[in-house]
Amino acid sequence: MAASGRCRSHRLLLLLLAALTAAAGEEAARQAAAPAAGCGCGSSRGGDGGREAAARRYSAEAAAGERAAGRRRMVAIPGGVFTMGTDEPEIQQDGEWPARRVHVNSFYMDQYEVSNEDFEIFVNSTGYVTEAEKFGDSFVFEGMLSEEVKAEIHQAVAAAPWWLPVKGANWKHPEGPDSNILKRMDHPVLHVSWNDALAFCTWAGKRLPTEAEWEYSCRGGLENRLFPWGNKLQPKGQHYVNIWQGVFPTSNTAEDGYKGTAPVTAFPPNGYGLYNIVGNAWEWTSDWWVVHHSADEAHNPKGPSSGTDKVKKGGSYMCHKSYCYRYRCAARSQNTPDSSASNLGFRCAADSLPDLQ
Ligand SMILES: *[C@@H]1O[C@H](CO)[C@@H](O)[C@H](O)[C@H]1NC(C)=O
């Protein structure tokens, strides 16, 4: 893909558009684009003692791997019927409406967003290479970059002032080659495309949630509420979600404790025991994107059979009510399946618990 300049710039344009419409500066972008809408055990040093030590280390790693890969971290979501979407859409053009009755079968949902540690275990055991690594770059919110890095690439981004295509940015290097995830192993993995997310979930014996499953999970058993915990953003003045405080994109006061992502275990869980189902990082779902929905009652809807973009839900640490009021359960946005960015991750679902649960 990177070999073809034409294909490459086409993808960059798509990424720019997708990042624009999807993550930040969404209103301006919308006006402009007007959418109708290895084994991981290291090298053996030789000698039986070394091999034994390596085997011990490996089995400890494998046990940790199973845990961290989320096999013990799913919650049962009881089947039922809920109101999906809303008749009081905050962002009309996103197709948050109409409110419709949707039946969902029982399933399992990851309690946490997939973390850098989880993803590293997957990469260690499979050698998987993400799309951002293959393409050689990914989109990074400029607020996370140094002045030097920004100055180098700024001319390329007149159309997307706070989304910069950063060479060498990928899940291991979220803000480019000089950054790394070492102090953020428990934060959500970022710069993973929809295809990457699907590969991870498949490896873990899981799948991506449908949008309906995701939204049902988000609502945590509550009906018609804005947020997973109710209608008030900060009950008793407490922060329940990692979003933006201050003036976007210039001033991030991080009153919730985080300028960028937070650990996947941060903040109180919702009624189903799910953490950070809104805010922190956007989460991929399995559905193709469409903005017009039937108001008819539906059973286990899976979205259209084809499309160009995939639905993502939940908003991110970059969202503020003033320009990205998308940390609501009904809110939604989209990206092409090969897109990646510094605010987009995922969690997996499953029909039954994977083997090692
Ligand atoms: C992945 O493999 C590397 C190299 O062997 C190791 O240092 C690292 O701890 C492994 N990561 C996890 C999360 O197990």
Side-chain angles (χ1 to χ4, degrees):
M1 196 108 180
S4 157
R6 190 143 173 238
C7 188
R8 176 94 191 107
S9 50
H10 178 62
R11 176 180 174 269
L12 271 177
L13 185 64
L14 281 177
L15 270 168
L16 272 165
L17 282 172
L20 273 165
T21 47
E26 345 234 345
E27 301 319 324
R30 197 160 277 109
Q31 278 158 21
C39 80
C41 47
S43 60
S44 169
R45 296 242 167 79
D48 286 335
R51 207 169 298 143
E52 267 173 39
R56 268 199 306 278
R57 194 162 63 237
Y58 180 65
S59 75
E61 277 179 14
E66 285 155 20
R67 276 196 304 281
R71 290 183 164 115
R72 293 176 207 282
R73 290 187 191 166
M74 296 196 95
V75 294
I77 309 291
V81 57
F82 80 112
T83 303
M84 183 166 175
T86 173
D87 281 333
E88 294 167 45
E90 297 283 347
I91 308 172
Q92 290 259 353
Q93 62 270 35
D94 282 355
E96 299 174 354
W97 58 286
R100 56 234 187 244
R101 296 297 279 172
V102 170
H103 298 255
V104 175
N105 290 350
S106 298
F107 65 104
Y108 292 87
M109 189 75 159
D110 280 354
Q111 203 170 359
Y112 310 110
E113 293 169 326
V114 171
S115 70
N116 286 316
E117 185 183 11
D118 299 333
F119 203 78
E120 187 169 285
I121 288 161
F122 161 62
V123 167
N124 278 3
S125 73
T126 60
Y128 186 84
V129 179
T130 61
E131 296 205 278
E133 290 168 285
K134 286 184 202 152
F135 292 132
D137 60 24
S138 187
F139 279 91
V140 180
F141 166 53
E142 71 164 8
M144 305 301 288
L145 297 171
S146 68
E147 292 305 321
E148 294 74 28
V149 172
K150 271 198 281 188
E152 269 176 40
I153 46 184
H154 228 291
Q155 73 282 7
V157 295
W162 44 78
W163 280 111
L164 306 196
V166 174
K167 283 200 179 62
N170 57 48
W171 73 274
K172 275 182 281 194
H173 305 286
E175 292 89 40
D178 293 339
S179 66
N180 66 59
I181 53 172
L182 289 180
K183 292 191 174 132
R184 291 181 256 173
M185 292 305 281
D186 58 351
H187 288 224
V189 65
L190 305 172
H191 299 289
V192 280
S193 69
W194 184 90
N195 297 310
D196 299 331
L198 180 64
F200 176 96
C201 293
T202 305
W203 167 78
K206 306 180 187 178
R207 58 178 174 77
L208 282 168
T210 65
E211 182 180 7
E213 288 172 334
W214 190 99
E215 189 168 325
Y216 184 69
S217 301
C218 182
R219 294 180 180 281
L222 301 174
E223 268 285 313
N224 286 318
R225 299 297 202 281
L226 289 170
F227 309 118
W229 56 87
N231 279 333
K232 208 165 171 234
L233 180 61
Q234 286 186 252
K236 300 199 171 101
Q238 295 301 299
H239 289 281
Y240 275 68
V241 55
N242 180 19
I243 52 174
W244 187 283
Q245 294 89 38
V247 179
F248 187 88
T250 48
S251 146
N252 184 348
T253 61
E255 273 161 40
D256 56 17
Y258 303 94
K259 181 167 175 262
T261 53
V264 298
T265 52
F267 301 100
N270 76 356
Y272 289 148
L274 303 172
Y275 289 76
N276 292 291
I277 188 86
V278 293
N280 214 20
W282 281 98
E283 299 181 13
W284 289 111
T285 73
S286 57
D287 292 29
W288 288 108
W289 170 259
V290 67
V291 292
H292 299 291
H293 313 285
S294 162
D296 295 346
E297 199 159 330
H299 288 79
N300 302 302
K302 291 180 163 48
S305 55
S306 64
T308 56
D309 288 7
K310 288 289 184 179
V311 176
K312 63 180 185 179
K313 297 280 279 184
S316 80
Y317 64 87
M318 288 171 59
C319 282
H320 183 280
K321 190 170 180 179
S322 67
Y323 77 99
C324 170
Y325 189 23
R326 292 191 174 82
Y327 40 95
R328 293 168 293 111
C329 294
R332 56 207 297 276
S333 195
Q334 88 277 25
N335 281 101
T336 57
D338 65 350
S339 303
S340 60
S342 61
N343 65 349
L344 176 50
F346 67 106
R347 77 180 70 211
C348 312
D351 295 324
S352 55
L353 285 178
D355 288 347
L356 292 162
Q357 182 76 24

